[in-house]
Amino acid sequence: MAKMNMLQAINNALDLAMAKDDSVVCFGEDVGHFGGVFRATSKLQEKYGKARCFNTPLTEQGIAGFANGMAAQGMKPVAEIQFADYIFPAFDQIVNETAKFRYRSGDEFNVGGLVFRSPYGGGIAGGHYHSQSPEAYFAHTPGLKVVIPRDPYQAKGLLLASIASQDPVIFFEPKKLYRASIGEVPEEYYEIELGKAEVVQQGTDITVLAWGAQMETVQKAVEMAAKDGISCEVIDLRSILPWDADTVAQSVLKTGRLVINHEAPLTGGFAGEIAATIQKMCFLHLESPIERVCGLDTPYPLSLEKEYVADHLKTYEAIKRAINF
């Protein structure tokens, strides 16, 4: 297997998808000859031509509307929103058009095969316009899938599965890990099932759940807890919508405790949905309240980023609270 960072894995996935299916096209701001602001689409225009990898005007609503039209006509557009913070002008198109195409037509037409790629999250000193984690907004919208990978292997397999999906997918990429996360990635085509969580570490005392870049964060906390003799089961949710409640519940039925970590603010964050569901599924087996370790309920700060983030120390403290309850 080849060693790739996350950007290379994403680029490789796009390359393979475009080679496999002529209906796959990539577009967005600066994605053509420039290869995107992070170079995720590097050399794709050179290889497949300007008709299949091209730049758009600086209009997120236009990018989403154009993607909807292409997908409705049978194409498989992979549209890049340059930063997840900029996805909000496209919100109406995604929530009221993309998500509802199949339903409103009685399955006469749809936009399956449409993927919106977008780098999300903090950790790069990007301030409040280049650091947000908006997954919870879209999790409230039936008709979409929301996927977030944690490493290069996951990124490639999940992106290829998203492009092949019969439903529209929002694919949030943890930009903090673009070049920092390096791992072995098969060079051939493969898919990872959407909507399925992964138990990445077995444990008996407490379940620790996260996704995306926060998996690295919780792993540090789990290593600290292990030195205290605490056995943590670690789960990567991978898909926010639909999310794998059964795998999480099965783990919590065993451990009796749950800590959920995400970058987004606490109030209205997806951890609340998980906590409510697991509380109902596992109520008589819980040994302590479900803990949420999240961003603060403020705009994402620049100078106080370290204080704001749901880091490994906050996660470790939450693990200890749950164990000592």
Side-chain angles (χ1 to χ4, degrees):
M1 290 193 287
K3 285 272 189 181
M4 298 185 192
N5 63 29
M6 187 175 286
L7 276 175
Q8 292 167 330
I10 289 166
N11 181 266
N12 183 230
L14 294 171
D15 187 5
L16 289 174
M18 295 177 79
K20 183 182 180 185
D21 188 342
D22 288 343
S23 68
V24 177
V25 293
C26 296
F27 54 87
E29 297 165 8
D30 299 319
V31 306
H33 177 71
F34 188 61
V37 68
F38 293 104
R39 307 297 188 271
T41 54
S42 180
K43 298 186 178 178
L44 294 180
Q45 185 181 87
E46 197 176 297
K47 186 171 183 179
Y48 296 101
K50 292 183 178 180
R52 295 188 62 200
C53 182
F54 52 89
N55 296 334
T56 66
L58 304 183
T59 166
E60 285 76 20
Q61 185 179 24
I63 291 169
F66 187 54
N68 282 331
M70 292 188 79
Q73 294 299 313
M75 301 293 285
K76 290 187 175 181
V78 183
E80 179 180 302
I81 304 296
Q82 196 170 80
F83 287 89
D85 313 66
Y86 302 157
I87 204 168
F88 299 112
F91 197 75
D92 176 59
Q93 280 289 329
I94 296 171
V95 169
N96 280 329
E97 305 297 339
T98 306
K100 297 175 174 62
F101 254 79
R102 178 180 280 115
Y103 177 81
R104 77 183 192 190
S105 72
D107 203 25
E108 288 296 314
F109 55 92
N110 63 76
V111 291
L114 166 55
V115 177
F116 291 104
R117 291 181 43 252
S118 192
Y120 88 99
I124 64 164
H128 55 283
Y129 285 137
H130 298 83
S131 304
Q132 296 176 76
S133 301
E135 65 269 19
Y137 291 101
F138 298 100
H140 197 61
T141 307
L144 298 174
K145 290 183 177 178
V146 181
V147 179
I148 307 177
R150 72 173 185 271
D151 62 27
Y153 177 84
Q154 302 287 325
K156 180 177 175 178
L158 290 169
L159 181 54
L160 286 170
S162 297
I163 295 169
S165 173
Q166 296 302 303
D167 299 296
V169 178
I170 301 178
F171 192 84
F172 285 123
E173 301 163 4
K175 59 181 176 285
K176 173 184 175 182
L177 301 183
Y178 266 160
R179 293 181 175 86
S181 180
I182 300 171
E184 291 189 339
V185 179
E187 296 184 77
E188 66 273 11
Y189 184 101
Y190 65 93
E191 296 179 13
I192 295 174
E193 182 182 358
L194 304 182
K196 186 67 177 175
E198 181 184 9
V199 179
V200 298
Q201 177 178 313
Q202 296 284 341
T204 56
D205 296 330
I206 188 167
T207 302
V208 182
L209 173 68
W211 52 86
Q214 292 304 98
M215 287 301 297
E216 185 178 58
T217 298
V218 301
Q219 198 62 52
K220 291 179 182 177
V222 164
E223 289 169 4
M224 293 174 65
K227 294 177 181 177
D228 296 332
I230 300 170
S231 173
C232 299
E233 183 142 299
V234 182
I235 298 178
D236 177 9
L237 198 58
R238 299 197 291 196
S239 290
I240 303 300
L241 189 67
W243 71 281
D244 188 358
D246 289 340
T247 293
V248 180
Q250 186 177 4
S251 174
V252 175
L253 288 173
K254 177 176 67 172
T255 66
R257 301 174 180 88
L258 175 62
V259 173
I260 310 162
N261 178 300
H262 64 58
E263 287 192 57
L266 176 73
T267 301
F270 198 66
E273 175 66 26
I274 296 170
T277 301
I278 297 304
Q279 179 268 146
K280 183 175 183 179
M281 295 177 74
C282 306
F283 184 73
L284 295 177
H285 297 264
L286 289 172
E287 301 288 346
S288 67
I290 295 172
E291 291 278 352
R292 292 181 291 164
V293 184
C294 310
L296 303 181
D297 288 336
T298 70
Y300 199 106
L302 176 60
S303 60
L304 297 175
E305 183 173 36
K306 288 183 179 180
E307 286 76 15
Y308 174 90
V309 296
D311 66 9
H312 64 290
L313 297 175
K314 294 177 185 177
T315 308
Y316 170 70
E317 290 300 324
I319 292 171
K320 295 286 284 184
R321 280 196 305 272
I323 291 292
N324 295 328
F325 181 78

